[in-house]
């Protein structure tokens, strides 16, 4: 992973073989980013996506195996959960037939490269468990 910091923005290059979500969590911890925006693209494999079923309060998880996908769009945020930076990212990804899959991103290994921008915010969104929804939602934003 390479990190380039400029004017409080981070260009993060996650390299082939690295765990994408783990590396982004590392950056958030290292630079104490308590709130931020994430955008990115690249190529990924060993992807696990989720679709949330509100009625059963469970994620349907799908593992896409060893196959490489274009990471068309990585989109997400950094907030605080139990006092620690928490990465929430969604991904859309495409295959060789130009078909697109997408969802909540649980796991992904970088297949070629991942070029990610992190823009820290001047505020701290905080997550708390919402029993009605069954997820840790952003419930307040502290200055
Ligand atoms: Zn999600």
């Amino acid at each position: 992973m390479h990190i380039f910091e400029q004017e409080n923005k981070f260009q993060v290059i996650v390299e082939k073989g690295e765990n994408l979500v783990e590396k982004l969590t590392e950056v958030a911890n290292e630079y104490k980013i308590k709130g931020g925006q994430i955008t990115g693209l690249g190529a990924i494999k060993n992807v696990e996506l989720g679709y949330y079923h509100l009625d059963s309060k469970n994620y349907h998880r799908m593992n896409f195996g060893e196959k490489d996908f274009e990471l068309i769009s990585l989109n997400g945020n950094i907030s605080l959960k139990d006092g620690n930076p928490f990465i929430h990212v969604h991904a859309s990804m495409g295959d060789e037939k130009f078909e697109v899959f997408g969802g909540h991103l649980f796991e992904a290994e970088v297949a070629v490269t991942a070029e990610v921008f992190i823009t820290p915010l001047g505020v701290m969104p905080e997550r708390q468990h919402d029993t009605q929804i069954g997820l840790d939602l952003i419930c307040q934003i502290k200055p």
Side-chain angles (χ1 to χ4, degrees), residues 12-62:
V12 181
I13 307 297
V14 188
E15 293 171 289
K16 186 176 187 297
E18 292 182 324
N19 181 312
L20 183 56
V21 180
E22 264 180 33
K23 287 294 165 188
L24 297 180
T25 305
E26 233 178 83
V27 175
N29 279 313
E30 196 178 319
Y31 291 89
K32 298 182 173 44
I33 303 171
K34 295 167 180 172
Q37 185 190 2
I38 298 172
T39 65
L41 50 78
I44 50 179
K45 65 192 286 192
N46 290 315
V47 182
E48 187 170 276
L49 295 178
Y51 174 89
Y52 191 66
H53 287 282
L54 181 59
D55 50 356
S56 60
K57 296 188 175 66
N58 261 315
Y59 272 102
H60 172 213
R61 290 172 176 243
M62 169 96 74

Side-chain angles (χ1 to χ4, degrees), residues 87-106:
I87 306 288
H88 182 201
V89 277
H90 287 190
S92 36
M93 58 185 205
D95 66 13
E96 73 279 11
K97 292 175 186 157
F98 303 98
E99 287 181 327
V100 175
F101 304 90
H104 178 97
L105 185 67
F106 282 108

Side-chain angles (χ1 to χ4, degrees), residues 51-86:
Y51 174 89
Y52 191 66
H53 287 282
L54 181 59
D55 50 356
S56 60
K57 296 188 175 66
N58 261 315
Y59 272 102
H60 172 213
R61 290 172 176 243
M62 169 96 74
N63 192 305
F64 289 79
E66 284 285 315
K67 185 174 164 161
D68 292 0
F69 289 90
E70 292 281 344
L71 174 57
I72 298 166
S73 176
L74 181 76
N75 182 32
N77 59 46
I78 301 171
S79 58
L80 282 181
K81 190 167 137 182
D82 303 323
N84 298 311
F86 175 77

